Amino acid sequence: MSDERDIARRMLGAARERAATPVVRTPAIPAPEATAIPAARRRGPGRQFADHPAVVEALEKQSAIQRLVDTTGLPHPLFLSPQGHNGAVIHSGGSELVNYSSYNYLELAGHPLVVLAANDAAARYGTSASATRIVTGEIPLYGILERRLAEIYRAGAALVSSSGFLSNAAVIGFLLGERDVAVCDSLAHASLVAGTQWAGCRRLAFRHNDPESLAALLRSSRHQFDRALVIIEGHYSMDGDLGRIAEIAAVARTYDCAVLVDEAHAIGVLGPTGLGSREHFDLPGDLVDIWAGSLSKALGSTGGFVAGDADLIAALKYAAPGMALYTAGPSPANIAAVIAGLDVMRDEPERLARLWSNAALFTGALRERGMDLADSQATPIVPVIVPGEIRAGYAAAAMLQRGHNAGAILSPVVPAGTERLRFFLTSEHTERQLLDTVDELAEVLTIVEQIPDLTLGAATSLGSAPSGHARG
């Protein structure tokens, strides 16, 4: 503990000594004339994007994190490489870590039956579909999983794809156009926002999980657009709260809007048997037009899916770029893993029970220590607010040094001042691990209180190290 206090003092001293040092940024380059580009403005081979604002910002943040690591001697908290499957305990860099940075909620990704199913599928169908589905890339496993997903969501049909992020973006990009509007919860995932950019539609945001805010927004703007799609999530990945689906859908219907619910962190987690938001809230399947989700979270694989009206899904399958068109089908092993994972969920309900028992124990213990859990609803996603980029980054690194891996979530992924450590719980965390983590975190946060509330931008003055990025 004394070593950590010394680290905090060194950080504070270095920050005060160097905070006034301006950060040198590459000046903006004026737009070129319509004629030839002057030689002085030429960037040269391999340097066309060296001064791109996003590239510069990413490298500055990466460098700042590395300098903090070098200054403090704490381990680097990003890009850990586990040896073995990514579960409640991992081995990385020669250390055993209690791991809270995996959304392998039910630990299906390492379950022997799931691994066996994946291996058998690879042996039978090969490691790749090796074609788009519309030509020769359609394999029987797709239909098996799609029928199960359609049943889960009481939908006419479902469609699986190679990427959850791309599924969200592709569906929105296909269905909306420049005369339309996407009305998004303010905490909607980046994949959903990307879809609106792809679509070229207008994007409006309403206050997080607030039906009244949505109603006010639609009352004033719905008449300006042709189609409107309200976009929300079933289980929000930053605060761990649940979407108010029924209330928001009712508002959307009043104003003739379609509804999309992202189930990435809901399926496998919510509901009496883990079948997601529809089961959890006992909703009719047609209350929602599009159920979208990921196969890479609780379902223990990789890929995405959408479920909805059979004609709509058929159109997406035949014509939506990025779903089954212009992209290879999901790997046979990945789809077989999900099918086997659903079987394990059905046959081993104790996994889901342990997951929620762990969530109740952990959030209860954190609250007893007075920690700020934002809007957490005691689900398996638990945020602990640590305001300030340096403070949150230090807390993550200090916890890692103590053998507990929890990702720091920094702005702009979350609003400035709400930076946090985010804990993903699994069914396989033990009571002892959870309570020890709470004890260690309480000690680390007493040290964090001594650290100046600086951003990583200001922290680029903390020492000098080669340029060298981080969402958790």
Side-chain angles (χ1 to χ4, degrees):
M1 181 114 167
S2 59
D3 290 342
E4 290 173 332
R5 293 189 184 282
D6 180 61
I7 288 170
R9 282 193 292 272
R10 278 189 281 142
M11 290 178 65
L12 178 57
R16 287 173 174 164
E17 180 179 326
R18 299 177 179 271
T21 304
V23 177
V24 178
R25 301 177 188 270
T26 306
I29 297 177
E33 303 293 337
T35 55
I37 301 173
R41 297 183 187 173
R42 298 187 68 85
R43 296 180 176 89
R47 304 297 298 169
Q48 293 299 311
F49 300 102
D51 58 350
H52 189 290
V55 173
V56 171
E57 181 181 1
L59 293 178
E60 285 178 351
K61 186 159 286 194
Q62 181 179 357
S63 177
I65 293 169
Q66 186 61 53
R67 288 172 183 174
L68 286 174
V69 169
D70 294 341
T71 298
T72 63
L74 292 171
H76 200 298
L78 304 179
F79 298 105
L80 299 186
S81 180
Q83 300 156 6
H85 85 271
N86 196 2
V89 176
I90 59 173
H91 292 81
S92 180
S95 300
E96 181 177 277
L97 303 171
V98 181
N99 183 35
Y100 299 99
S101 288
S102 162
Y103 33 60
N104 189 12
Y105 295 106
L106 302 176
E107 300 243 1
L108 296 180
H111 193 287
L113 294 179
V114 175
V115 174
L116 177 63
N119 289 338
D120 287 349
R124 180 172 184 179
Y125 297 104
T127 58
S128 171
S130 302
T132 61
R133 294 179 64 173
I134 204 166
V135 286
T136 60
E138 187 81 1
I139 61 174
L141 293 174
Y142 297 158
I144 294 171
L145 178 55
E146 287 167 348
R147 286 189 290 274
R148 291 187 71 167
L149 290 168
E151 181 181 346
I152 287 169
Y153 286 101
R154 301 292 189 266
L159 178 65
V160 295
S161 70
S162 300
S163 164
F165 188 106
L166 186 56
S167 290
N168 280 346
V171 167
I172 297 169
F174 178 71
L175 293 177
L176 299 183
E178 61 183 16
R179 297 174 58 200
D180 306 324
V181 63
V183 187
C184 304
D185 185 286
S186 60
L187 296 187
H189 189 265
S191 59
L192 301 163
V193 175
T196 67
Q197 295 168 332
W198 186 342
C201 64
R202 281 283 303 277
R203 183 175 72 249
L204 303 175
F206 62 95
R207 281 194 304 272
H208 173 54
N209 233 0
D210 187 338
E212 293 182 2
S213 175
L214 173 62
L217 184 59
L218 292 175
R219 191 179 305 119
S220 64
S221 63
R222 177 65 183 92
H223 65 281
Q224 301 174 31
F225 306 99
D226 184 5
R227 292 181 179 86
L229 177 63
V230 173
I231 299 173
I232 61 175
E233 298 185 28
H235 186 195
Y236 285 88
S237 63
M238 289 300 157
D239 285 352
D241 55 335
L242 305 185
R244 298 169 66 179
I245 298 174
E247 297 164 87
I248 288 173
V251 172
R253 295 294 186 239
T254 300
Y255 291 91
D256 192 31
C257 304
V259 179
L260 182 152
V261 177
D262 181 358
E263 288 281 279
H265 291 272
I267 190 167
V269 174
L270 301 184
T273 64
L275 298 183
S277 297
R278 193 212 60 77
E279 182 188 57
H280 182 84
F281 293 111
D282 191 24
L283 303 173
D286 61 1
L287 180 73
V288 170
D289 297 273
I290 303 167
W291 298 95
S294 170
L295 307 178
S296 67
K297 309 298 192 292
L299 298 183
S301 185
T302 299
F305 72 88
V306 292
D309 172 76
D311 287 343
L312 175 61
I313 297 301
L316 292 171
K317 182 174 182 178
Y318 277 85
M323 291 297 295
L325 187 66
Y326 306 132
T327 186
S331 82
N334 285 340
I335 297 303
V338 179
I339 295 170
L342 290 171
D343 290 341
V344 172
M345 285 171 53
R346 178 196 62 211
D347 297 338
E348 300 181 21
E350 63 274 13
R351 287 179 176 267
L352 188 65
R354 287 199 305 269
L355 176 66
W356 282 91
S357 176
N358 284 344
L361 174 69
F362 191 60
T363 54
L366 292 169
R367 286 193 168 114
E368 284 179 6
R369 297 296 192 100
M371 297 185 200
D372 182 356
L373 307 189
D375 292 328
S376 170
Q377 294 178 234
T379 75
I381 299 174
V382 186
V384 176
I385 304 301
V386 186
E389 289 181 313
I390 291 182
R391 289 172 173 170
Y394 170 84
M399 287 296 289
L400 186 60
Q401 188 176 58
R402 292 166 174 245
H404 306 264
N405 180 39
I409 310 297
L410 311 178
S411 65
V413 176
V414 293
T418 68
E419 292 83 2
R420 65 200 61 196
L421 299 191
R422 180 176 56 176
F423 295 82
F424 287 118
L425 305 183
T426 82
S427 58
E428 306 311 297
H429 283 114
T430 67
E431 179 177 331
R432 186 71 269 150
Q433 289 168 345
L434 297 171
L435 295 179
D436 285 348
T437 298
V438 173
D439 290 341
E440 297 284 4
L441 181 59
E443 289 188 13
V444 166
L445 293 184
T446 63
I447 300 166
V448 165
E449 292 173 358
Q450 304 174 40
I451 297 175
D453 186 11
L454 298 176
T455 66
L456 283 172
T460 55
S461 61
L462 294 177
S464 57
S467 283
H469 170 176
R471 171 180 168 173

